[in-house]
């Protein structure tokens, strides 16, 4: 029953991790929730995520439980640690005894701080989407793993990896979604700008009883001479605040100064 309950909670956590196409998305809060799920499912003391770019940490997020401890341990890995090892290899770092690692001078800064925080065991899994590595998820445990049931160790790593994979997918989907929303906005603005220019051109052509091409040339020359965007000039024409006399001079080619 305990394992069935954990499976249900894991399934719920994975669904939540996939839900990134929402307004008001905030990456740090999102990764904190992933870390919270990791703590709850693995009975850890704390957990955190390190996002890495070019081999260097670029962002940290920690579980709400013992957040300061997790952030301190993530920050201590600038000189090496389970997160950077997992990111560098693209593979999980299995549970490691902090005391053994400290005695072996493995990750000295990190293990020194971990001992001060009474962390006994740590492990990490990569945050990845196919070949795209984004960082690593680090788990901090206050007890040594039970050496008898090896399946439990593998199961813990698998749960952490499932959460990390879901988070990587969620972040990548969010990045793609945001990029296409930006592109859509740019295309919409370009279309709106073109509509305004055509409207202004039509208004001037009708007002002056000239061909639309002549009206457009006047708009363009006016914009160039004033060093203003053509769309801004078109808006001024539509709103009736553009200097009509100067626009006419541009149409007639009699405006002073270089074009």
């Amino acid at each position: 029953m305990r394992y069935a309950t954990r499976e249900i909670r894991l399934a719920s956590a994975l669904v939540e991790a996939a839900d990134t196409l929402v307004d008001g998305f905030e990456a740090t809060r999102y990764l904190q929730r992933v870390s919270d799920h990791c703590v709850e499912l693995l009975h850890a003391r704390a957990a955190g995520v390190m996002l890495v770019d070019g081999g260097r940490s670029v962002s940290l997020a920690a579980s709400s439980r013992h957040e300061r401890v997790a952030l301190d341990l993530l920050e201590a890995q600038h000189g090496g640690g389970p997160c950077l090892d997992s990111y560098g290899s693209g593979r999980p770092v299995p549970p490691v005894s902090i005391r053994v690692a400290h005695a072996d001078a493995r990750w000295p800064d990190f293990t020194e701080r971990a001992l001060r925080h009474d962390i006994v065991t740590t492990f990490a899994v990569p945050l990845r989407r196919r070949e795209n590595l984004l960082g690593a998820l680090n788990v901090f445990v206050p007890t040594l793993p039970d050496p008898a049931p090896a399946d439990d160790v593998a199961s813990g790593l698998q749960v952490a990896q499932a959460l990390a994979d879901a988070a990587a997918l969620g972040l990548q989907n969010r990045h793609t979604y945001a990029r296409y929303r930006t592109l859509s906005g740019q295309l919409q603005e370009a279309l709106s700008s073109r509509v305004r220019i055509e409207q202004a051109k039509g208004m001037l052509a009708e007002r002056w009883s000239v061909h639309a091409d002549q009206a457009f040339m006047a708009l363009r020359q006016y914009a160039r001479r004033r060093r203003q965007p053509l769309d801004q000039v078109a808006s001024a024409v539509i709103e009736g605040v553009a200097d009509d006399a100067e626009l006419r001079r541009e149409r007639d080619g009699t405006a002073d100064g270089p074009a």
Side-chain angles (χ1 to χ4, degrees):
M1 178 64 70
R2 181 170 64 90
Y3 290 106
T5 301
R6 187 169 77 166
E7 287 174 359
I8 293 171
R9 290 163 59 195
L10 175 59
S12 177
L14 294 176
V15 170
E16 182 180 328
D19 187 18
T20 56
L21 307 186
V22 294
D23 292 333
F25 175 83
E26 204 278 309
T28 301
R29 175 58 184 155
Y30 168 75
L31 292 173
Q32 183 178 61
R33 286 292 298 150
V34 172
S35 301
D36 285 342
H37 287 307
C38 196
V39 169
E40 293 165 5
L41 288 164
L42 299 177
H43 307 291
R45 184 176 184 195
V49 174
M50 177 187 291
L51 296 184
V52 182
D53 186 21
R56 299 183 62 182
S57 168
V58 294
S59 182
L60 306 176
S63 57
S64 54
R65 186 182 301 177
H66 298 292
E67 181 177 7
R68 291 185 180 180
V69 171
L71 286 175
D72 189 42
L73 292 175
L74 291 173
E75 289 167 357
Q77 298 185 46
H78 58 85
C83 277
L84 292 180
D85 278 14
S86 182
Y87 173 82
S89 68
R91 299 176 61 83
V93 173
V96 176
S97 165
I98 296 296
R99 290 194 179 279
V100 171
H102 188 65
D104 292 341
R106 183 182 183 186
W107 315 319
D109 291 342
F110 168 75
T111 53
E112 181 68 32
R113 290 200 207 183
L115 288 171
R116 289 204 301 265
H117 290 304
D118 296 322
I119 299 301
V120 176
T121 302
T122 189
F123 61 91
V125 293
L127 221 71
R128 67 189 177 204
R129 178 59 182 158
R130 296 190 175 91
E131 300 304 317
N132 187 22
L133 282 165
L134 305 179
L137 168 63
N138 206 168
V139 183
F140 310 109
V141 185
T143 59
L144 285 169
D146 188 343
D151 287 347
D152 280 359
V153 175
S155 176
L157 280 172
Q158 289 167 358
V159 168
Q161 188 65 72
L163 287 168
D165 288 346
L169 177 59
L171 289 174
Q172 187 177 64
N173 286 344
R174 180 66 195 185
H175 175 73
T176 302
Y177 173 71
R179 187 174 43 145
Y180 280 111
R181 282 197 67 176
T182 299
L183 178 60
S184 176
Q186 291 171 343
L187 291 174
Q188 183 59 52
E189 179 54 32
L191 177 60
S192 298
S193 174
R194 187 63 190 171
V195 168
R196 286 190 291 271
I197 292 169
E198 289 296 321
Q199 184 178 353
K201 183 173 70 173
M203 290 174 65
L204 291 178
E206 182 178 1
R207 183 186 307 166
W208 298 339
S209 299
V210 299
H211 194 276
D213 288 346
Q214 289 179 273
F216 177 72
M217 289 295 293
L219 277 172
R220 188 171 65 180
Q221 288 296 100
Y222 183 95
R224 284 179 176 176
R225 201 177 301 280
R226 292 199 170 199
R227 293 182 173 84
Q228 293 178 340
L230 185 57
D231 177 53
Q232 182 178 330
V233 173
S235 295
V237 170
I238 294 168
E239 295 165 9
V241 296
D243 189 331
D244 190 67
E246 188 172 344
L247 279 164
R248 287 177 182 271
R249 288 197 295 271
E250 295 292 358
R251 179 201 66 183
D252 298 334
T254 58
D256 295 331

